[in-house]
Amino acid sequence: MSSVISFRFTPPMQLQPLACAVALLCIATGTAQAQEGHLAAAALPDVTVSASGLQQSSSDMTVPVSVLEGNELIQRRQSNLGETLNGEPGIHSSHFGAGASRPIIRGMDGPRVRLLSDGAPIHDASTISPDHAVVADPLLATQIEVLRGPSALIHGGGAMGGVVNVLDGKVPTAIPSKGYEGSAELRANSAAHEQAGAFALTGGAGNIAIHVEGSKGQADDYRVGRGWPSGSKVQGSFNDTNSASLGLSWVGERGYLGLAYTRQNANYGLPGHNHSYEGCHTHGLHLHCGSHSPAIEDDAHHDDHGHDEAEGVPVVDLRSERVDLRGELRNPLPGFSVLRLRAGKTDYRHHEIEDGTIATTFRNKAHDARIELQHLPVAGWQGVLGLQMSQRRFEAVGADAYIEPTDTRNQGLFLLESYRWNDWRFEAALRHEQQTILASDSSTKASHNGTSASLGAVWKVVPGYQLTASWTHANRLPTAEELYARGLHLATSTYELGNAALRKETAQNIDLGLRKTAGDTTFEVSVFHNRVHNYIHGRTVDALDGLQLLQYSQQDATFTGLEGRLQQRFNQHWGLTVFGDIVRALLDGGEKLPRTPAARLGLRLNGQWQAWQSYAEWVQVARQTRIAAFETETPGYGMLHMGVSYHARTGSGQPWQIYLRANNLNNRLAYAHTSFIKDAAPLTGRNITIGVRMDF
């Protein structure tokens, strides 16, 4: 792919936001009226949600769900998963430069957000630290599903924030009708001089199907908005990633069984590293850095941007190899309609390289298996029962190895049942998990178990209107990092102390929603209240010259929030969307939790005329003043995003499109409050992306 992707797009820097806005809207609306085109009648998307367990449609879900697919996914895709989903109501990103970014759902991140690859857990090191990348490639995704809240507990009681399921085509499930099918895409952007491309091809005959896919992206350090005291670019924010998969399936009348091998490589920088903290240690619950006297910047917005340019920026050299086994068999046994199988083996490692030398190596070797049996209706109840097992061997070796080697084993049993009665659909789920973690160096063992349950209902009050309600009692078991971390973590400027006495968390979550799914006016709004007993968090107990001492502690916490979206169709060409979210996260006693997302409100104007589609969007993020101890406030900001795309077919009927989008058109300097390195790595400045895609 690298030989093909050779173009570089650099628009004139004197281009003003207003001029861009006028130009894009003129392109979208000033074309010749040779054929009639119009916006489809407004309606909330109704697609099958694979992660629902029963293949429910989105309108049947008892919890809020977002599904990105088709043209919307193409327009929203970024180089990593967190930034791709950032902007959906209730979803933010951890933002650690350009190479690493995880989704944050309803103010929760890390292990409280379960990441899946077509229903199977993704094994990497991203739950351990925000500077570790997620090994899921948005360029190769066919659909991304987000289930908010802990009620999707068939994928794990610990998913208190929600579940993100990335669907792909690496294991073929059907024989292409014409013998082959595929897609190819190229794109480039201006802020980081990114060049990226992806392709996918499936072919088959008889009962055998084969799939091959690949992607490559290369980007320099990205530019930030105007007025940053530390310059125009974030040093060390470059990213070079490539992925490739090969899959083979046997496809029959009753199902399929397939195997796929995937390899991903990445090289990306780690902005914000501060080596002046090397040698710091603890005396009890206090930091001591000896003769440590780092240069302290006066400006509050780059006080952790202390990496000397001559010294170079640490680089992550990542390699992940994964083998997936997927299968589905219809009518496997009397009384059962579907048997599903997911299994995988992952060999993950990444080196953190400083001054050309490997400083720290992280390894994660894991395997997992999941079996589901969906039964036919019994007394009106339809459901699925299953078994899930996983084992993870994690180790870190080197200067930044603040976690001792651990072996984690987890087993879970789950049951999900659904019942329909008139205009009601009821849902109940139950899951029991058992987990054992063995720490090699200290020869200590921690065992936990937990039982989670949820109840939900959807009531179609009148045609087009739905009320939803769900209640969840969920247990999350502590991770190896929370139990056994001990050491200096330069990437986040923290010294972390684990706590082997941690107990399981218990959440009581209530989620209420209202949807209007048809007509010129549609909307969905939900409010949630999540009370977490024994909430595990890194409490800052000391700080010295910007270095924070975090001790993993437990205290009751409450998360309360509101999220929603309203769509109004004016006529066959124009529509308006209003969206937003807000979350409040408090410990008992009123103390705020750190890095809680700020409130957000957006306005989006959509247009369509003939083969053209366009949008203009303003997103306003509030100033975050509700901060934890040792945390600084983050200014609010407003950003203008615009885009236009042209859709057509070749002479042989193959669909293709060309698209242009402009993010942060007003070139606003902005900081993500959710980021550990918000001052060292502001958000991307004005960024123009152009791309072309063809399906065949």
Side-chain angles (χ1 to χ4, degrees), residues 203-214:
N207 295 109
I208 302 298
I210 188 169
H211 178 87
V212 60
E213 65 182 24

Side-chain angles (χ1 to χ4, degrees), residues 546-622:
L547 178 67
Q548 295 189 24
L549 176 58
L550 301 185
Q551 182 184 43
Y552 284 102
S553 309
Q554 288 189 292
Q555 189 175 345
D556 291 353
T558 302
F559 292 76
T560 305
L562 173 72
E563 59 202 19
R565 186 194 333 250
L566 181 147
Q567 298 171 319
Q568 176 64 52
R569 177 177 177 264
F570 298 125
N571 54 43
Q572 61 183 0
H573 301 300
W574 297 102
L576 185 70
T577 301
V578 181
F579 57 92
D581 54 60
I582 185 172
V583 61
R584 294 287 183 257
L586 297 173
L587 294 169
D588 271 16
E591 183 181 351
K592 281 77 172 180
L593 282 165
R595 293 174 298 282
T596 300
R600 179 174 56 185
L601 184 66
L603 187 68
R604 181 185 179 105
L605 180 65
N606 294 290
Q608 180 167 316
W609 193 276
Q610 300 180 17
W612 295 88
Q613 294 181 1
S614 66
Y615 69 88
E617 178 181 274
W618 180 268
V619 179
Q620 186 69 43
V621 177

Side-chain angles (χ1 to χ4, degrees), residues 5-10 77-80 98 139 186-197 216-222 239 241 659 661 687-690:
I5 308 167
S6 58
F7 54 91
R8 173 169 291 196
F9 180 55
T10 308
R77 273 195 298 225
Q78 303 291 335
S79 60
N80 56 61
L139 275 175
L186 294 172
R187 75 178 190 194
N189 73 35
S190 62
H193 300 303
E194 180 197 43
Q195 304 169 70
K216 180 172 177 56
Q218 185 173 355
D220 300 335
D221 293 347
Y222 68 82
N239 185 22
T241 303
Y659 57 87
R661 68 172 184 249
N687 188 22
I688 312 297
T689 300
I690 186 170

Side-chain angles (χ1 to χ4, degrees), residues 108-165:
M108 294 188 176
D109 61 356
R112 295 182 181 88
V113 175
R114 186 65 56 91
L115 303 184
L116 307 175
S117 174
D118 198 5
I122 293 175
H123 294 288
D124 50 32
S126 65
T127 60
I128 298 166
S129 174
D131 64 311
H132 299 166
V134 176
V135 290
D137 192 343
L139 275 175
L140 296 175
T142 59
Q143 182 171 304
I144 302 177
E145 307 167 346
V146 182
L147 280 66
R148 299 172 184 79
S151 54
L153 54 82
I154 62 169
H155 298 288
M160 293 183 176
V163 169
V164 177
N165 189 30

Side-chain angles (χ1 to χ4, degrees), residues 372-384:
E372 297 179 3
L373 264 173
Q374 185 170 326
H375 68 77
L376 295 171
V378 177
W381 289 89
Q382 183 180 7
V384 59

Side-chain angles (χ1 to χ4, degrees), residues 28-167:
T29 59
T31 58
Q33 303 178 28
Q35 60 183 22
E36 189 64 26
H38 58 274
L39 283 173
L44 294 180
D46 192 14
V47 295
T48 300
V49 182
S50 176
S52 64
L54 289 172
Q55 309 298 301
Q56 299 284 351
S57 67
S58 55
S59 63
D60 268 342
M61 297 292 293
T62 62
V63 295
V65 60
S66 294
V67 179
L68 295 181
E69 62 169 359
N71 187 57
E72 184 180 10
L73 177 58
I74 294 170
Q75 290 289 336
R76 293 284 301 274
R77 273 195 298 225
Q78 303 291 335
S79 60
N80 56 61
L81 186 61
E83 298 304 322
T84 297
L85 295 174
N86 186 27
E88 283 291 299
I91 308 174
H92 298 74
S93 71
S94 57
H95 186 70
F96 207 98
S101 180
R102 271 182 67 95
I104 297 173
I105 304 178
R106 294 181 166 183
M108 294 188 176
D109 61 356
R112 295 182 181 88
V113 175
R114 186 65 56 91
L115 303 184
L116 307 175
S117 174
D118 198 5
I122 293 175
H123 294 288
D124 50 32
S126 65
T127 60
I128 298 166
S129 174
D131 64 311
H132 299 166
V134 176
V135 290
D137 192 343
L139 275 175
L140 296 175
T142 59
Q143 182 171 304
I144 302 177
E145 307 167 346
V146 182
L147 280 66
R148 299 172 184 79
S151 54
L153 54 82
I154 62 169
H155 298 288
M160 293 183 176
V163 169
V164 177
N165 189 30
V166 182
L167 300 180

